[in-house]
Amino acid sequence: MIKFLSSSPYFGVVLTLSMFSLAYLINRRWPSPFTTPLFLATIFIVLVLLETGISYTDYNAGAQYITYFLVPLTVSFAIPMYKQLPLLRRHIWPILLSILIGVICSVLTVIFICIFFELGDIVARSLVSISVTTAIAIGITEKLGGIIALTVSSVIITGILGASVSDIVCRKLNLRSATARGLAIGNASHAAGTTKAMQMGPVEGALSSLAIVLSGLMTALIAPLAIWLFFN
């Protein structure tokens, strides 16, 4: 039975969607940062693979097709942005400045940690786009000569963590502005965080969507410059 499942091209897709649906139902019943669907579904999938002995390669043979939706999903975030266009026009300069500061802080934090712990330039090249959505982060890592597998796993962890704790962080910091919440979440935890921002409200979702796009573009420009300055 297990051999049949692992050889099926549909196994990865069915397992991913079913585990996410289960995690979503659990989160609806017991909402908590620890029951965030993306976080919980990831744990469920890992447990199933460990229990059945199915390798990640066999699982990903089918699950990889879900990743094809990453780019169109990122593009679709333009819809909530368009609905909040008047707001974006009124606050365009503060929005651009806040995203720029967030990108610089993210890039420099990764570089300083890599230097302090002597992790090397390859790790820095792989993690420098840690707060950028996967579709863009992969492209940045390819250009910088980093390790794509390390980039993808780090981006996923960042997104899950951001989506899980965003509510708590906003409350602890007494962050009441919908614009500020949306920009902070999108800038720090990309698409995964944006799904959480959309649950908070339409303004949060729109600004988080905008932050994904702009932070990706800014990181693509700033990250190579930072790598060149610190590792050449």
Side-chain angles (χ1 to χ4, degrees):
M1 180 64 177
I2 293 177
K3 185 176 181 180
F4 169 77
L5 289 175
S6 62
S7 62
S8 172
Y10 306 106
F11 171 71
V13 175
V14 173
L15 177 63
T16 302
L17 295 179
S18 59
M19 291 300 99
F20 185 84
S21 299
L22 175 60
Y24 176 77
L25 294 175
I26 293 175
N27 181 256
R28 288 285 300 272
R29 180 64 180 83
W30 297 287
S32 164
F34 298 103
T35 61
T36 301
L38 187 58
F39 172 71
L40 204 56
T42 302
I43 293 178
F44 287 162
I45 291 172
V46 171
L47 292 176
V48 169
L49 295 182
L50 290 174
E51 183 66 25
T52 58
I54 297 175
S55 68
Y56 173 78
T57 302
D58 292 333
Y59 159 75
N60 195 49
Q64 64 178 335
Y65 296 112
I66 297 178
T67 62
Y68 294 158
F69 295 97
L70 280 174
V71 174
L73 174 64
T74 303
V75 174
S76 70
F77 285 144
I79 298 175
M81 288 166 50
Y82 178 77
K83 293 180 178 179
Q84 299 295 330
L85 199 56
L87 175 65
L88 301 181
R89 287 173 175 169
R90 287 198 306 270
H91 303 291
I92 184 62
W93 294 114
I95 289 173
L96 290 176
L97 180 60
S98 65
I99 295 175
L100 177 61
I101 293 173
V103 169
I104 293 175
C105 289
S106 175
V107 171
L108 291 182
T109 298
V110 169
I111 288 178
F112 289 155
I113 289 176
C114 289
I115 292 175
F116 182 80
F117 289 102
E118 299 181 352
L119 299 177
D121 66 306
I122 296 298
V123 175
R125 294 171 191 271
S126 305
L127 299 182
V128 76
S129 56
I130 194 172
S131 291
V132 179
T133 191
T134 307
I136 301 176
I138 291 175
I140 295 174
T141 298
E142 288 178 341
K143 294 296 183 182
L144 294 178
I147 304 171
I148 293 179
L150 181 57
T151 300
V152 172
S153 59
S154 301
V155 168
I156 291 173
I157 292 173
T158 302
I160 292 174
L161 181 62
S164 301
V165 304
S166 55
D167 272 340
I168 297 175
V169 173
C170 288
R171 287 200 303 269
K172 293 295 184 181
L173 296 178
N174 198 26
L175 199 60
R176 298 180 180 179
S177 169
T179 300
R181 288 199 300 266
L183 289 174
I185 295 172
N187 207 344
S189 50
H190 46 82
T194 298
T195 58
K196 183 66 176 180
M198 289 180 173
Q199 295 175 11
M200 293 180 175
V203 175
E204 288 91 337
L207 271 298
S208 185
S209 302
L210 178 64
I212 289 177
V213 178
L214 294 182
S215 64
L217 294 175
M218 291 180 184
T219 301
L221 297 174
I222 294 173
L225 176 60
I227 293 293
W228 178 78
L229 287 174
F230 288 96
F231 293 100
N232 285 314

